[in-house]
Structures are given as structure tokens and as C-alpha cells.
């Protein structure tokens, strides 16, 4: 019986299985479960400009990398602006899942059984913190307080950015570095 259960997620099943094999080699008493997480394609974003819906309709705004940001005096803020209709800024944590409900539920159940969730992406950038396998791993693990670790070939995000997204660790790895990460995230008594 495995002492530690590790859920390994990647965009393709062969990548997830390759990581699971390397993890088991480094920590033989760890049980591994490999899964592919395919996020549905995003809807196309319309081009910015007049008449595209990216401004307030009156043409007031500043064009920065596409969307218009309204300028001018802000509306008054008072007691009428508090409550469920105006919840305020979002708390740090994972972005919402983009998976269909059934897939999201199955992934959340798998994360509940895990001691650590590991997500693999070739590049971790700002987009990867808002969409894809990393987001799905964090969203599935968050309700159960299971740590999420990302293995990547290259990371372009800061520690503050990835920790705000609900991640416990990010490791840039080559093929032989998976064993080092497995030993880091598997207790000594489970090796």
C-alpha cells in the first residue's frame, strides 16, 4: 500500500505517465495517478477599436493593448455599494475551472485522495496561471487544501504571482530533475 498518493496532471497522457514513472523511480513507496487534462478552447476575443464593445459606448477611454479603460471621475462609493451585488476585489487563489462540470468533479475527487497534486507544462507564463492544466490542478486541489506543485521547462512568473494563484511550488526541470522534485515533495519515510 502506498504511503503517499501523488496526482500527476499534464495536457497529454504520455507526459503525465512519463512523470509518474520518474516520480515512482525516485520515491518507490509513493502511489501515483496520471491524468490528462484537456481544457476546452477559449472563445475568440474581438479586435479592439471603435464600435467593438471595448469602450463605454461614448468613446471615452484609454486604449491599452486592446481594451478601453474608462477615465474620469469614479462613481460615488457608499453603503449602497456593499453586499452581494458588489463583493469587492477577489481573494487570492486559483482561477475558476474551465472544464465541464463532470470532468471538474472527477478531477476534484481525484485531488481529494491525493497528498500532493503535480501539474506539468512546458512553459509557465501569465496565461498559464489563468487557463490550462495549472489552473485546473489548483482549482481541484483548493477545496481540500492539497498542495499543488508545477513542473515546467521554463517559468516566466514570479513567486508572488504563482503563490497568489494557489500554487505551493514551481520547479524548472529537465528530464533528470523530476527525481529531485519527487524527493523534495515526498517525505523521507515514504521513500
Amino acid at each position: 500500500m502506498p504511503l503517499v498518493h501523488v496526482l500527476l496532471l499534464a495536457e497529454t497522457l504520455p507526459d503525465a505517465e512519463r512523470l509518474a514513472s520518474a516520480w515512482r523511480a525516485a520515491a518507490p513507496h509513493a502511489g501515483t495517478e496520471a491524468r490528462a487534462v484537456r481544457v476546452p478552447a477559449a472563445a475568440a476575443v474581438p479586435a479592439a477599436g471603435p464600435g467593438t464593445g471595448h469602450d463605454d459606448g461614448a468613446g471615452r477611454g484609454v486604449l491599452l493593448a486592446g481594451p478601453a479603460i474608462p477615465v474620469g471621475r469614479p462613481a460615488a462609493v457608499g453603503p449602497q455599494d456593499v453586499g452581494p451585488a458588489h463583493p469587492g476585489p477577489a481573494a487570492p487563489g486559483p482561477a475558476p475551472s474551465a472544464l465541464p462540470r463532470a470532468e471538474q468533479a472527477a478531477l476534484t475527487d481525484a485531488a481529494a485522495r491525493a497528498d500532493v497534486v503535480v501539474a506539468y507544462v512546458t512553459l509557465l507564463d501569465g496565461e498559464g496561471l489563468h487557463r490550462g492544466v495549472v489552473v485546473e490542478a489548483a482549482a481541484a486541489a483548493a477545496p481540500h487544501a492539497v498542495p499543488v506543485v508545477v513542473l515546467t521547462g521554463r517559468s516566466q512568473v514570479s513567486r508572488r504571482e504563482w503563490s497568489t494563484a494557489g500554487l505551493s511550488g514551481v520547479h524548472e526541470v529537465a528530464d533528470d530533475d523530476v527525481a529531485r522534485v519527487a524527493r523534495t515533495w515526498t517525505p523521507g519515510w515514504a521513500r
Side-chain angles (χ1 to χ4, degrees), residues 29-99:
H29 297 296
T32 58
E33 179 181 352
R35 287 182 176 231
V37 177
R38 301 295 308 199
V39 178
V45 178
T52 62
H54 287 282
D55 57 20
D56 64 357
R60 296 184 306 260
V62 178
L63 187 62
L64 294 175
I69 299 172
V71 294
R73 186 178 174 147
V77 177
Q80 73 280 1
D81 296 322
V82 177
H86 304 281
S97 176
L99 293 176

Side-chain angles (χ1 to χ4, degrees), residues 45-148:
V45 178
T52 62
H54 287 282
D55 57 20
D56 64 357
R60 296 184 306 260
V62 178
L63 187 62
L64 294 175
I69 299 172
V71 294
R73 186 178 174 147
V77 177
Q80 73 280 1
D81 296 322
V82 177
H86 304 281
S97 176
L99 293 176
R101 270 189 210 270
E103 289 179 43
Q104 179 184 3
L107 190 58
T108 300
D109 288 345
R113 295 186 303 271
D115 295 301
V116 64
V117 175
V118 178
Y120 170 75
V121 291
T122 55
L123 172 67
L124 181 62
D125 57 5
E127 176 68 23
L129 291 179
H130 298 289
R131 180 170 183 73
V133 68
V134 172
V135 170
E136 300 306 332
H144 309 290
V146 175
V148 177

Side-chain angles (χ1 to χ4, degrees), residues 9-27:
L9 307 174
E11 292 177 350
T12 66
L13 190 55
D15 282 343
E17 289 172 340
R18 180 179 51 82
L19 290 171
S21 176
W23 199 282
R24 280 191 306 271

Side-chain angles (χ1 to χ4, degrees), residues 44 61 86 98 104 112 117 129 149 151 159 163 166 183:
H86 304 281
Q104 179 184 3
V117 175
L129 291 179
V149 177
L151 301 180
R159 181 183 183 118
S163 62
R183 287 189 299 271

